[in-house]
């Protein structure tokens, strides 16, 4: 069982006893430890992607976590966009256009990362009659729609960065669970 599975189990557990038979709190403690030393997004990534709403399946579940993640992610995308000089911010109009671009990239990259499955095949890569899905060409990944080529590349780049952050945080938390944390 990987860290994401253990974390999901712990978040949805109704029994958080910590004794020789129950270890659900271990994953939560490891996530908190990573949050304390991490990049600020911490276990919020795992919580939003995997845990929010899984038990109750209410439409409103997890919205506070998603809103917080969007705020943190937007700030991070703005920082990355400025570092990478996606657009020049010479005049007030340029700065305003850049802020709009950063926000669109943050929103779309987060949406694509959370659910980037092909709508036609629901992410399976195959149609109902077991043929390769034409829109996604069998990959199961959906297209990013409503943006131009420049923006699509930035959205894909930031979605890959989100996945990288999640994998790195899960690896650090798994290391903490093993007791190898330094």
């Amino acid at each position: 069982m990987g860290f994401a599975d253990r974390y999901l189990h712990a978040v949805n557990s109704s029994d958080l006893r910590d004794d020789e038979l129950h270890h659900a709190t271990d994953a939560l403690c490891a996530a908190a430890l990573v949050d304390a030393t991490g990049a600020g997004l911490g276990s919020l990534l795992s919580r939003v992607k995997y845990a929010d709403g899984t038990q109750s399946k209410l439409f409103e579940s997890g919205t506070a976590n998603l809103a917080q993640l969007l705020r943190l992610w937007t700030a991070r995308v703005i920082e990355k966009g400025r570092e990478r000089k996606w657009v020049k911010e010479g005049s007030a109009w340029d700065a305003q256009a850049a802020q709009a671009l950063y926000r669109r990239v943050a929103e779309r990259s987060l949406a694509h990362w959370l659910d980037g499955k092909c709508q036609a095949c629901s992410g399976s890569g195959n149609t109902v009659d077991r043929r390769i899905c034409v829109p996604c060409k069998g990959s199961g990944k959906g297209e990013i729609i409503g943006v131009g080529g420049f923006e699509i590349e930035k959205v894909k780049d930031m979605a890959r960065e989100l996945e990288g952050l999640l994998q790195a945080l899960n690896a650090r938390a798994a290391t903490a669970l093993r007791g190898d944390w330094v």
Side-chain angles (χ1 to χ4, degrees):
M1 179 183 297
F3 175 75
D5 295 326
R6 290 184 73 176
Y7 183 78
L8 179 62
H9 175 69
V11 168
N12 289 322
S13 177
S14 61
D15 184 7
L16 291 177
R17 287 183 284 175
D18 189 22
D19 56 24
E20 60 276 351
L21 300 175
H22 302 91
H23 302 286
T25 56
D26 293 348
L28 297 174
C29 290
L33 184 62
V34 168
D35 278 350
T37 61
L41 295 174
S43 60
L44 196 56
L45 291 169
S46 290
R47 183 178 293 270
V48 169
K49 180 137 181 161
Y50 300 116
D52 276 352
T54 55
Q55 221 174 18
S56 59
K57 298 290 184 190
L58 293 174
F59 178 76
E60 297 86 13
S61 67
T63 55
N65 289 329
L66 180 59
Q68 182 181 4
L69 179 59
L70 181 59
R71 276 191 305 276
L72 290 170
W73 182 241
T74 300
R76 181 110 180 212
V77 169
I78 290 170
E79 178 185 318
K80 293 288 181 184
R82 286 183 176 152
E83 281 176 11
R84 297 173 184 174
K85 298 187 187 332
W86 288 350
V87 289
K88 291 182 180 180
E89 295 185 37
S91 67
W93 186 88
D94 290 342
Q96 187 177 14
Q99 288 295 316
L101 171 70
Y102 301 148
R103 292 189 190 290
R104 283 193 314 270
V105 169
E107 290 168 3
R108 291 199 171 130
S109 63
L110 184 59
H112 186 70
W113 178 73
L114 287 172
D115 186 22
K117 295 183 292 191
C118 173
Q119 298 298 319
C121 67
S122 299
S124 70
N126 298 315
T127 60
V128 177
D129 58 348
R130 298 183 187 201
R131 294 181 186 209
I132 292 178
C133 178
V134 174
C136 70
K137 299 177 182 81
S139 71
K141 296 180 181 173
E143 291 287 321
I144 300 168
I145 54 174
V147 294
F150 173 78
E151 208 167 309
I152 285 176
E153 291 307 313
K154 303 306 176 203
V155 169
K156 286 180 181 178
D157 183 38
M158 291 292 102
R160 282 190 299 269
E161 189 155 326
L162 270 169
E163 186 61 29
L165 281 170
L166 177 68
Q167 295 303 321
L169 291 166
N170 285 349
R172 289 193 343 235
T175 301
L177 274 176
R178 284 193 312 265
D180 298 338
W181 188 259
V182 178

